[in-house]
Amino acid sequence: MMFHANLNTYLMLALFLLMTGIYGMIRHKTFIGMLISTELVLNGAGLNFMAFNKFLAPDPAVGQIFTLFIMGIAAAEAAIAISFILAVYRKFSTGDPQGVTDLKG
Amino acid sequence: MNLMMEVLFFGFVVLTMTGALLAVRAKILMHGVLGLAVSLLGVAGLYLYLGSPFLTLMQVLIYVGAICVVLVFGIMVGYTPNEVAEKVPMGRNALLGLLASGSAAFFLMVMVLGRTHWVPAAHRVGDFSIEHVGESLLLTWCLAFEMISVVLLIAIVGAIILARGGREEGSQ
Protein backbone atom coordinates (compact mmCIF):
# COMPACT_ATOMS: atom_id res chain seq x y z
CA MET A 1 0.00 0.00 0.00
CA MET A 2 1.38 3.35 -1.02
CA PHE A 3 0.57 5.98 1.52
CA HIS A 4 1.54 8.93 -0.61
CA ALA A 5 -0.95 7.93 -3.31
CA ASN A 6 -3.87 7.62 -0.92
CA LEU A 7 -6.39 10.38 -0.34
CA ASN A 8 -7.13 9.36 3.24
CA THR A 9 -3.53 9.90 4.36
CA TYR A 10 -3.70 13.55 3.38
CA LEU A 11 -7.15 13.99 4.89
CA MET A 12 -5.95 12.54 8.19
CA LEU A 13 -2.94 14.83 8.18
CA ALA A 14 -5.12 17.87 7.45
CA LEU A 15 -7.41 16.75 10.28
CA PHE A 16 -4.37 16.57 12.55
CA LEU A 17 -3.40 20.12 11.61
CA LEU A 18 -6.97 21.32 12.30
CA MET A 19 -6.94 19.52 15.66
CA THR A 20 -3.63 20.94 16.80
CA GLY A 21 -4.74 24.37 15.61
CA ILE A 22 -7.95 24.29 17.66
CA TYR A 23 -6.06 22.95 20.66
CA GLY A 24 -3.41 25.65 20.37
CA MET A 25 -5.99 28.40 19.98
CA ILE A 26 -7.54 27.46 23.30
CA ARG A 27 -4.30 26.61 25.08
CA HIS A 28 -2.14 29.57 24.15
CA LYS A 29 -2.26 32.56 26.43
CA THR A 30 -0.88 35.17 24.07
CA PHE A 31 -2.30 36.75 20.93
CA ILE A 32 0.70 35.70 18.86
CA GLY A 33 0.31 32.10 20.00
CA MET A 34 -3.31 32.15 18.86
CA LEU A 35 -2.24 33.60 15.51
CA ILE A 36 0.26 30.75 15.08
CA SER A 37 -2.50 28.22 15.71
CA THR A 38 -4.75 29.98 13.18
CA GLU A 39 -2.05 29.58 10.55
CA LEU A 40 -1.99 25.85 11.30
CA VAL A 41 -5.75 25.59 10.70
CA LEU A 42 -5.52 27.54 7.43
CA ASN A 43 -2.69 25.30 6.32
CA GLY A 44 -4.77 22.21 7.03
CA ALA A 45 -7.50 23.67 4.82
CA GLY A 46 -4.97 24.25 2.04
CA LEU A 47 -3.70 20.69 2.31
CA ASN A 48 -7.27 19.41 2.05
CA PHE A 49 -7.91 21.41 -1.09
CA MET A 50 -4.71 20.14 -2.68
CA ALA A 51 -5.52 16.52 -1.79
CA PHE A 52 -9.02 16.68 -3.29
CA ASN A 53 -7.56 18.51 -6.25
CA LYS A 54 -5.09 15.73 -6.92
CA PHE A 55 -7.37 12.75 -6.46
CA LEU A 56 -10.94 13.79 -7.24
CA ALA A 57 -11.35 17.13 -8.97
CA PRO A 58 -12.03 17.32 -12.69
CA ASP A 59 -9.79 20.36 -13.24
CA PRO A 60 -6.42 20.20 -11.42
CA ALA A 61 -5.92 23.97 -11.64
CA VAL A 62 -8.87 24.85 -9.41
CA GLY A 63 -7.48 23.42 -6.18
CA GLN A 64 -4.10 25.01 -6.73
CA ILE A 65 -5.68 28.40 -7.36
CA PHE A 66 -7.88 28.10 -4.29
CA THR A 67 -4.86 27.18 -2.16
CA LEU A 68 -3.09 30.25 -3.55
CA PHE A 69 -6.08 32.37 -2.50
CA ILE A 70 -5.95 30.84 0.97
CA MET A 71 -2.28 31.83 1.19
CA GLY A 72 -3.11 35.38 0.12
CA ILE A 73 -5.92 35.68 2.67
CA ALA A 74 -3.63 34.20 5.35
CA ALA A 75 -0.96 36.79 4.57
CA ALA A 76 -3.49 39.63 4.79
CA GLU A 77 -4.89 38.18 8.00
CA ALA A 78 -1.45 37.87 9.57
CA ALA A 79 -0.58 41.48 8.72
CA ILE A 80 -3.87 42.82 10.11
CA ALA A 81 -3.66 40.63 13.23
CA ILE A 82 -0.09 41.68 13.99
CA SER A 83 -0.99 45.36 13.70
CA PHE A 84 -4.03 44.75 15.94
CA ILE A 85 -1.77 43.06 18.48
CA LEU A 86 0.61 46.02 18.38
CA ALA A 87 -2.27 48.49 18.82
CA VAL A 88 -3.70 46.47 21.73
CA TYR A 89 -0.24 46.20 23.27
CA ARG A 90 0.19 49.95 23.06
CA LYS A 91 -3.17 50.65 24.66
CA PHE A 92 -3.25 47.96 27.32
CA SER A 93 0.48 47.20 27.72
CA THR A 94 -0.22 43.48 27.66
CA GLY A 95 -0.20 40.61 25.21
CA ASP A 96 -2.48 38.54 27.38
CA PRO A 97 -6.08 38.22 26.11
CA GLN A 98 -7.27 38.02 29.74
CA GLY A 99 -5.97 41.52 30.38
CA VAL A 100 -8.02 43.23 27.68
CA THR A 101 -11.26 43.82 29.52
CA ASP A 102 -12.57 47.28 28.63
CA LEU A 103 -15.95 45.93 27.51
CA LYS A 104 -16.35 43.69 30.52
CA GLY A 105 -19.24 45.10 32.60
CA MET B 1 12.68 4.36 -6.21
CA ASN B 2 9.17 3.88 -4.89
CA LEU B 3 10.48 2.98 -1.47
CA MET B 4 12.60 6.11 -1.41
CA MET B 5 9.58 8.25 -2.30
CA GLU B 6 7.61 6.62 0.48
CA VAL B 7 10.36 7.17 3.04
CA LEU B 8 10.70 10.81 1.99
CA PHE B 9 6.94 11.20 2.22
CA PHE B 10 6.97 9.96 5.80
CA GLY B 11 9.82 12.34 6.49
CA PHE B 12 7.59 15.23 5.41
CA VAL B 13 4.66 13.86 7.43
CA VAL B 14 6.82 13.64 10.56
CA LEU B 15 8.12 17.16 9.91
CA THR B 16 4.56 18.48 9.64
CA MET B 17 3.31 16.75 12.78
CA THR B 18 6.26 17.51 15.04
CA GLY B 19 6.28 21.10 13.85
CA ALA B 20 2.58 21.50 14.60
CA LEU B 21 2.98 19.94 18.05
CA LEU B 22 5.93 22.20 18.81
CA ALA B 23 3.94 25.22 17.62
CA VAL B 24 1.08 24.59 20.04
CA ARG B 25 3.05 23.20 22.98
CA ALA B 26 5.92 25.69 23.06
CA LYS B 27 6.28 27.83 26.16
CA ILE B 28 8.54 30.34 24.47
CA LEU B 29 6.79 32.16 21.63
CA MET B 30 9.83 32.11 19.37
CA HIS B 31 9.90 28.33 19.60
CA GLY B 32 6.26 28.33 18.54
CA VAL B 33 7.10 30.33 15.42
CA LEU B 34 9.96 27.94 14.73
CA GLY B 35 7.59 24.98 15.03
CA LEU B 36 5.17 26.68 12.69
CA ALA B 37 7.94 27.19 10.12
CA VAL B 38 8.95 23.51 10.36
CA SER B 39 5.35 22.41 9.97
CA LEU B 40 4.81 24.67 6.95
CA LEU B 41 7.98 23.30 5.36
CA GLY B 42 6.62 19.77 5.81
CA VAL B 43 3.36 20.75 4.14
CA ALA B 44 5.37 22.36 1.33
CA GLY B 45 7.02 18.98 0.77
CA LEU B 46 3.62 17.29 0.70
CA TYR B 47 2.51 19.70 -2.03
CA LEU B 48 5.28 18.18 -4.18
CA TYR B 49 3.61 14.80 -3.79
CA LEU B 50 0.26 16.37 -4.67
CA GLY B 51 1.65 17.32 -8.04
CA SER B 52 2.34 21.02 -7.67
CA PRO B 53 5.96 22.22 -7.40
CA PHE B 54 4.64 25.74 -7.99
CA LEU B 55 2.61 25.68 -4.77
CA THR B 56 5.61 24.23 -2.92
CA LEU B 57 7.59 27.29 -3.90
CA MET B 58 4.72 29.62 -3.03
CA GLN B 59 4.31 27.93 0.35
CA VAL B 60 7.98 28.40 1.17
CA LEU B 61 7.94 31.95 -0.15
CA ILE B 62 4.71 33.24 1.41
CA TYR B 63 4.23 31.15 4.54
CA VAL B 64 7.75 30.30 5.66
CA GLY B 65 9.31 33.40 4.20
CA ALA B 66 6.78 36.12 4.82
CA ILE B 67 4.29 35.13 7.50
CA CYS B 68 6.85 33.64 9.90
CA VAL B 69 9.02 36.74 9.55
CA VAL B 70 5.98 38.93 10.27
CA LEU B 71 5.31 36.84 13.38
CA VAL B 72 8.92 37.20 14.51
CA PHE B 73 8.70 40.96 14.03
CA GLY B 74 5.44 40.98 15.99
CA ILE B 75 7.14 39.22 18.89
CA MET B 76 10.12 41.55 18.67
CA VAL B 77 8.11 44.79 18.63
CA GLY B 78 5.08 43.89 20.69
CA TYR B 79 6.40 41.99 23.66
CA THR B 80 8.83 42.85 26.40
CA PRO B 81 11.37 40.11 27.15
CA ASN B 82 9.67 38.68 30.23
CA GLU B 83 6.41 38.25 28.32
CA VAL B 84 7.94 36.38 25.42
CA ALA B 85 7.82 33.18 27.44
CA GLU B 86 4.26 32.25 28.28
CA LYS B 87 3.49 31.43 31.85
CA VAL B 88 2.68 27.84 32.74
CA PRO B 89 -0.53 27.03 30.89
CA MET B 90 -3.70 26.79 32.87
CA GLY B 91 -4.71 23.16 33.27
CA ARG B 92 -8.31 24.04 32.53
CA ASN B 93 -7.47 25.63 29.20
CA ALA B 94 -5.34 22.72 28.07
CA LEU B 95 -8.11 20.32 29.07
CA LEU B 96 -10.77 22.35 27.22
CA GLY B 97 -8.50 22.51 24.18
CA LEU B 98 -7.99 18.77 24.19
CA LEU B 99 -11.74 18.27 24.54
CA ALA B 100 -12.62 20.61 21.67
CA SER B 101 -10.03 19.31 19.25
CA GLY B 102 -10.67 15.71 20.27
CA SER B 103 -14.41 15.94 19.70
CA ALA B 104 -13.91 17.73 16.37
CA ALA B 105 -11.45 15.04 15.29
CA PHE B 106 -13.80 12.27 16.41
CA PHE B 107 -16.79 13.65 14.51
CA LEU B 108 -14.82 14.38 11.35
CA MET B 109 -13.10 11.01 11.41
CA VAL B 110 -16.11 8.86 12.20
CA MET B 111 -18.84 10.80 10.43
CA VAL B 112 -16.96 12.03 7.37
CA LEU B 113 -13.85 9.97 6.71
CA GLY B 114 -15.30 6.67 7.84
CA ARG B 115 -18.57 6.86 5.94
CA THR B 116 -17.78 8.68 2.73
CA HIS B 117 -16.94 6.90 -0.45
CA TRP B 118 -15.04 9.44 -2.53
CA VAL B 119 -15.82 9.30 -6.23
CA PRO B 120 -13.20 10.65 -8.63
CA ALA B 121 -14.30 12.86 -11.50
CA ALA B 122 -15.35 10.93 -14.58
CA HIS B 123 -12.90 12.71 -16.84
CA ARG B 124 -10.29 15.36 -16.24
CA VAL B 125 -9.60 18.46 -18.24
CA GLY B 126 -6.30 20.28 -18.21
CA ASP B 127 -3.22 19.20 -16.30
CA PHE B 128 -1.07 20.22 -13.32
CA SER B 129 1.17 22.49 -15.36
CA ILE B 130 1.84 26.07 -14.28
CA GLU B 131 0.65 27.27 -17.70
CA HIS B 132 -2.79 25.85 -17.08
CA VAL B 133 -2.88 27.36 -13.58
CA GLY B 134 -1.93 30.79 -14.88
CA GLU B 135 -4.42 30.58 -17.72
CA SER B 136 -7.37 29.74 -15.50
CA LEU B 137 -6.19 32.26 -12.89
CA LEU B 138 -6.42 35.09 -15.42
CA LEU B 139 -9.43 33.83 -17.41
CA THR B 140 -11.83 31.82 -15.26
CA TRP B 141 -10.92 33.18 -11.83
CA CYS B 142 -10.03 36.70 -12.87
CA LEU B 143 -12.60 38.38 -10.61
CA ALA B 144 -11.46 36.47 -7.53
CA PHE B 145 -7.85 37.28 -8.41
CA GLU B 146 -8.61 41.00 -8.57
CA MET B 147 -10.62 40.84 -5.35
CA ILE B 148 -7.65 39.23 -3.59
CA SER B 149 -5.41 42.04 -4.73
CA VAL B 150 -7.88 44.62 -3.41
CA VAL B 151 -8.10 42.75 -0.10
CA LEU B 152 -4.30 42.68 0.18
CA LEU B 153 -4.08 46.39 -0.58
CA ILE B 154 -6.68 47.24 2.04
CA ALA B 155 -4.96 44.93 4.54
CA ILE B 156 -1.61 46.64 3.99
CA VAL B 157 -3.07 50.14 4.32
CA GLY B 158 -5.09 49.11 7.38
CA ALA B 159 -2.06 47.49 9.01
CA ILE B 160 0.00 50.64 8.50
CA ILE B 161 -2.76 52.86 9.94
CA LEU B 162 -3.30 50.57 12.94
CA ALA B 163 0.35 50.07 13.80
CA ARG B 164 1.52 53.63 13.17
CA GLY B 165 3.31 55.47 15.94
CA GLY B 166 5.78 54.34 18.56
CA ARG B 167 5.23 52.26 21.63
CA GLU B 168 5.51 55.20 24.04
CA GLU B 169 3.13 57.43 22.13
CA GLY B 170 -0.14 55.77 23.11
CA SER B 171 0.65 54.69 26.66
CA GLN B 172 -0.48 57.53 28.85
Side-chain angles (χ1 to χ4, degrees):
Chain A
M1 173 159 179
M2 301 300 285
F3 280 101
H4 73 259
N6 188 357
L7 175 62
N8 272 342
T9 317
Y10 295 99
L11 294 188
M12 293 294 267
L13 198 63
L15 179 60
F16 178 81
L17 283 178
L18 171 71
M19 253 174 59
T20 46
I22 293 176
Y23 171 73
M25 252 185 257
I26 299 177
R27 192 221 141 231
H28 270 300
K29 285 179 66 188
T30 51
F31 288 121
I32 297 249
M34 291 169 168
L35 190 57
I36 291 173
S37 311
T38 316
E39 299 299 337
L40 279 180
V41 173
L42 283 170
N43 223 42
L47 188 59
N48 246 348
F49 273 106
M50 284 299 284
F52 282 123
N53 177 52
K54 161 98 178 178
F55 294 105
L56 304 181
D59 186 356
V62 177
Q64 299 184 45
I65 290 171
F66 210 101
T67 312
L68 269 180
F69 286 163
I70 291 178
M71 282 180 196
I73 293 291
E77 172 250 348
I80 286 285
I82 288 282
S83 59
F84 255 85
I85 291 168
L86 290 188
V88 165
Y89 190 86
R90 236 183 287 141
K91 182 144 174 52
F92 294 91
S93 304
T94 177
D96 182 6
Q98 307 280 335
V100 186
T101 51
D102 260 14
L103 282 184
K104 202 174 185 179
Chain B
M1 189 59 204
N2 261 338
L3 184 71
M4 220 178 81
M5 273 182 78
E6 193 77 356
V7 168
L8 204 60
F9 175 77
F10 272 101
F12 284 130
V13 169
V14 168
L15 216 58
T16 307
M17 294 175 85
T18 46
L21 283 179
L22 179 61
V24 294
R25 292 295 302 169
K27 291 212 168 57
I28 298 172
L29 274 179
M30 202 59 95
H31 292 179
V33 178
L34 197 67
L36 180 70
V38 169
S39 177
L40 297 177
L41 272 179
V43 174
L46 292 179
Y47 284 168
L48 269 183
Y49 282 87
L50 291 171
S52 180
F54 171 59
L55 270 214
T56 305
L57 289 179
M58 282 298 118
Q59 172 96 356
V60 173
L61 203 68
I62 299 178
Y63 263 120
V64 185
I67 292 185
C68 286
V69 170
V70 166
L71 287 174
V72 169
F73 268 102
I75 293 175
M76 183 188 84
V77 180
Y79 289 81
T80 48
N82 51 357
E83 283 173 353
V84 170
E86 291 183 297
K87 283 154 269 167
V88 186
M90 288 177 287
R92 193 173 57 101
N93 262 20
L95 200 71
L96 278 177
L98 268 186
L99 205 68
S101 63
S103 55
F106 176 77
F107 277 116
L108 282 176
M109 223 180 318
V110 175
M111 303 288 173
V112 179
L113 277 184
R115 291 193 185 174
T116 314
H117 175 65
W118 306 107
V119 185
H123 65 96
R124 316 194 83 169
V125 291
D127 49 10
F128 285 88
S129 70
I130 190 168
E131 287 91 353
H132 184 50
V133 172
E135 214 168 80
S136 11
L137 195 58
L138 288 183
L139 293 179
T140 318
W141 308 103
C142 188
L143 182 67
F145 184 72
E146 297 296 334
M147 291 313 284
I148 287 280
S149 56
V150 173
V151 166
L152 275 174
L153 177 69
I154 294 174
I156 292 169
V157 174
I160 291 174
I161 290 175
L162 276 172
R164 202 172 43 184
R167 191 189 286 182
E168 291 81 17
E169 201 179 318
S171 57
Q172 293 84 22

